[in-house]
């Protein structure tokens, strides 16, 4: 018998996998915080003998090198990947014994497209395929995006994605479980993945790579590509160089004077509390990235790379969780941190800043008044499906550098559900403007009486 345990990295929309038999196991595409993998292996009572990468990742820092060091496992990396560390190069067709006693073998299949060297791995039991780890190749209802390596290669890689998906469908039985790394909210997915699990047979019936001709597939794939998070440009080089071990020791504590000094120095002070608490009261100039949301994705996307960040959390647990998540995208050591509430983060005599939260119904009541500016911070692809007439469009990942483009007046900022509007509202608030965060679903805008147009 074999097992496959999923190592979920929900904040980034990724998954790693621990697979094996009764004695030994392989870890595929591990997260950077490898203690989670070691815990999973200990729970199963197995020894990790192999660590495997499907490709050099562009969206997170891998824990593969460190996991191989800690366990003594062979580190399997596609032969075509250019890396600066010792590893076992993997070629198309290579087979690796995972657990000989259980008859488990891992067979490599070259599946270029997400990257030129991308490789999938088929888990075989007694020579029969039971699962395939597809990384950023065949995903659930879609494929990995082909535009993260080099713009001049994008169309070629899109065509290779199509061919790779078809190779998997042709060579594997319909009941083979498809276990991708990306596609659960990751921006590495070409489109939003549909569902939590799938098989080769299900993908044959629904995946565009397996139901359309190559030209229409490529045209639709390229037309649907959205903006790439800015921090992605730092992930590939970090992974190719070999990431350093992660350091999760607590940051240096910061008092009110140090928080004020760091803000005065132009550093980022990030409040991890939920958006309701932040709007009700916060340190003036601090920014709100909720720990419960896609913290790593949006903070790494918006912050000037390498700028010191101080974290403010409501509890030590919230701080520890956030610190762990940020290491996954290369934000390794917060400059400082504090826990508690604004009362403990402000100097004597200072008052907390605040701003209003509202709904689209509230906006409809104010929309016609002078001095009201409506700011849409969604991505262009979202806005194409409908937007409030007269709204100013500045996607959230560009807002920091375009605040001077927001017209004068009271700024009502909205997104799809309120989470990004809260981040944007904190940016506008920190710049000294009057802001209202629309904490509501965009589906409610038209029902509230606002005029919604589509491009």
């Amino acid at each position: 018998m074999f097992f496959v345990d999923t190592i979920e990295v929900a904040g980034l929309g990724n998954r790693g996998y621990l697979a094996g038999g009764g004695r030994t196991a392989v870890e595929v595409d591990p997260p950077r915080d490898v203690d989670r993998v070691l815990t999973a292996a200990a729970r199963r009572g197995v020894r990790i003998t192999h660590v495997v990468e499907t490709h050099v990742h562009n969206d997170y820092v891998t824990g593969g090198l460190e996991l191989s060091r800690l366990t003594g496992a062979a580190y399997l990396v596609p032969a075509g990947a250019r890396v600066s560390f010792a590893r076992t190069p993997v070629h198309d067709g290579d087979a690796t014994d995972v657990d000989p006693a259980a008859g488990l073998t891992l067979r490599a299949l070259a599946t270029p497209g997400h990257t030129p060297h991308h490789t999938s791995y088929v888990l075989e039991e007694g020579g029969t395929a039971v699962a395939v780890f597809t990384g950023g190749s065949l995903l659930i209802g879609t494929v990995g995006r082909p535009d993260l390596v080099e713009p001049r290669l994008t169309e070629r890689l899109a065509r290779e994605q199509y061919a790779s998906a078809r190779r998997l469908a042709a060579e594997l039985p319909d009941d083979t479980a498809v276990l991708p790394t990306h596609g659960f909210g990751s921006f590495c997915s070409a489109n939003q993945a549909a569902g939590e699990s799938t098989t080769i047979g299900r993908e044959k019936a629904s995946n565009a790579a397996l139901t359309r001709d190559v030209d229409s597939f490529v045209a639709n794939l390229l037309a649907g590509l959205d903006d790439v998070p800015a921090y992605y440009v730092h992930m590939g080089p970090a992974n190719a160089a070999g990431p350093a071990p992660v350091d999760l020791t607590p940051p240096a504590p910061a008092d009110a004077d140090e928080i004020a000094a760091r803000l005065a120095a132009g550093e980022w002070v990030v409040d991890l509390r939920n958006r309701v608490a932040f709007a009700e009261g916060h340190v003036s100039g601090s920014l709100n990235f909720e720990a419960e949301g896609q913290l790593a994705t949006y903070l790494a996307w918006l912050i000037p790379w390498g700028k010191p960040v101080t974290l403010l959390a409501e509890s030590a647990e919230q701080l520890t969780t956030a610190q762990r998540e940020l290491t996954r995208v290369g934000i390794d050591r917060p400059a400082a941190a504090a826990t508690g509430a604004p009362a403990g983060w402000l100097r004597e005599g200072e008052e907390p800043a605040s701003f209003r939260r509202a709904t689209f119904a509230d906006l409809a009541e104010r929309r016609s008044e002078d001095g009201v500016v409506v700011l849409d911070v969604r991505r262009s692809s979202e806005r194409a499906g409908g937007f409030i007439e007269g709204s100013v469009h500045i996607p959230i990942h560009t807002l920091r550098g375009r605040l001077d483009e927001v017209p004068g007046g009271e700024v009502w900022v909205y997104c799809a559900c309120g989470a990004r509007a809260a981040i944007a509202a904190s940016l506008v608030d920190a710049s000294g403007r009057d802001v209202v965060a629309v904490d509501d679903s965009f589906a409610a805008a038209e029902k509230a009486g606002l005029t919604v147009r589509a491009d």
Side-chain angles (χ1 to χ4, degrees):
M1 286 293 293
F2 72 94
F3 71 86
V4 177
D5 289 342
T6 300
I7 311 296
E8 196 84 42
V9 189
L12 296 178
N14 288 326
R15 290 176 177 176
Y17 300 94
L18 179 72
R23 299 178 180 176
T24 54
V26 59
E27 170 67 19
V28 181
D29 288 344
R32 191 175 186 197
D33 45 332
V34 297
D35 57 319
R36 301 178 64 213
V37 180
L38 295 172
T39 298
R43 189 179 299 118
R44 286 285 186 179
V46 295
R47 179 170 58 91
I48 298 174
T49 56
H50 298 84
V51 178
V52 173
E53 302 284 5
T54 56
H55 60 294
V56 174
H57 302 282
N58 290 291
D59 64 326
Y60 69 93
V61 181
T62 180
L65 183 59
E66 179 63 6
L67 184 60
S68 69
R69 287 172 178 160
L70 291 173
T71 61
Y75 191 22
L76 278 57
V77 178
R82 296 180 180 178
V83 296
S84 302
F85 48 83
R87 89 289 193 199
T88 301
V90 177
H91 300 84
D92 184 46
D94 285 355
T96 301
D97 287 332
V98 174
D99 190 326
L104 293 179
T105 302
L106 204 63
R107 178 165 55 90
L109 286 182
T111 48
H114 187 48
T115 66
H117 60 265
H118 190 283
T119 300
S120 298
Y121 298 88
V122 182
L123 182 65
E124 298 177 338
E125 183 181 38
T128 299
V130 292
V132 57
F133 303 102
T134 55
S137 182
L138 185 67
L139 309 184
I140 303 177
T142 184
V143 296
R145 60 191 301 165
D147 61 331
L148 301 181
V149 178
E150 159 62 57
R152 291 172 295 181
L153 297 179
T154 297
E155 182 171 350
R156 191 195 88 189
L157 289 175
R159 292 181 179 276
E160 290 183 352
Q161 266 302 39
Y162 181 87
S164 292
R166 298 218 155 208
R167 181 187 185 188
L168 291 167
E171 295 190 17
L172 299 175
D174 282 358
D175 61 355
T176 305
V178 175
L179 303 174
T181 300
H182 304 312
F184 309 95
S186 168
F187 282 90
C188 273
S189 176
N191 303 106
Q192 183 60 45
E196 288 295 309
S197 63
T198 192
T199 63
I200 289 292
R202 290 178 199 164
E203 292 308 302
K204 282 182 178 180
S206 60
N207 196 301
L210 303 176
T211 58
R212 292 182 176 177
D213 66 88
V214 62
D215 289 331
S216 65
F217 167 79
V218 170
N220 278 276
L221 180 67
L222 299 184
L225 294 175
D226 216 329
D227 295 333
V228 178
Y231 70 92
Y232 275 25
V233 298
H234 304 285
M235 301 295 97
N239 288 324
V246 68
D247 180 1
L248 293 174
T249 57
D255 59 15
D257 287 334
E258 182 172 356
I259 292 169
R262 290 188 176 279
L263 282 168
E267 297 181 10
W268 275 33
V269 173
V270 172
D271 191 325
L272 301 168
R273 296 174 303 146
N274 69 69
R275 57 185 183 262
V276 176
F278 182 87
E280 289 177 349
H282 55 271
V283 177
S284 180
S286 63
L287 305 175
N288 184 212
F289 290 80
E290 294 178 296
E292 295 79 8
Q294 289 183 287
L295 167 66
T297 294
Y298 282 101
L299 180 55
W301 196 342
L302 271 63
I303 193 170
W305 195 253
K307 182 176 283 291
V309 58
T310 294
L311 301 178
L312 306 180
E314 63 184 5
S315 67
E317 182 181 10
Q318 186 180 67
L319 175 61
T320 299
T321 300
Q323 185 180 349
R324 176 182 289 271
E325 187 169 350
L326 292 176
T327 63
R328 297 169 182 161
V329 292
I331 301 177
D332 282 7
R333 295 296 302 161
T339 57
W345 304 334
L346 294 166
R347 293 174 295 185
E348 186 174 353
E350 290 181 329
E351 293 293 327
S354 63
F355 54 76
R356 286 182 56 205
R357 293 169 51 253
T359 64
F360 282 110
D362 297 325
L363 175 58
E365 292 181 3
R366 290 287 307 277
R367 184 70 178 93
S368 61
E369 297 181 21
D370 292 338
V372 173
V373 178
V374 181
L375 175 62
D376 180 352
V377 296
R378 298 172 302 158
R379 296 187 300 278
S380 297
S381 59
E382 296 174 280
R383 186 172 172 87
F387 60 91
I388 296 174
E389 186 175 37
S391 60
V392 177
H393 181 225
I394 303 178
I396 189 170
H397 57 277
T398 68
L399 181 59
R400 178 176 57 84
R402 299 175 60 187
L403 285 167
D404 59 351
E405 297 178 31
V406 181
E410 185 179 64
V411 182
W412 289 61
V413 57
Y414 76 89
C415 63
C417 65
R420 287 172 292 171
I423 298 172
S426 72
L427 285 164
V428 175
D429 175 70
S431 74
R433 299 284 301 275
D434 291 331
V435 66
V436 179
V438 179
D439 196 354
D440 201 357
S441 168
F442 183 70
E446 196 164 15
K447 295 177 183 177
L450 294 164
T451 302
V452 175
R453 295 181 49 199
D455 283 345

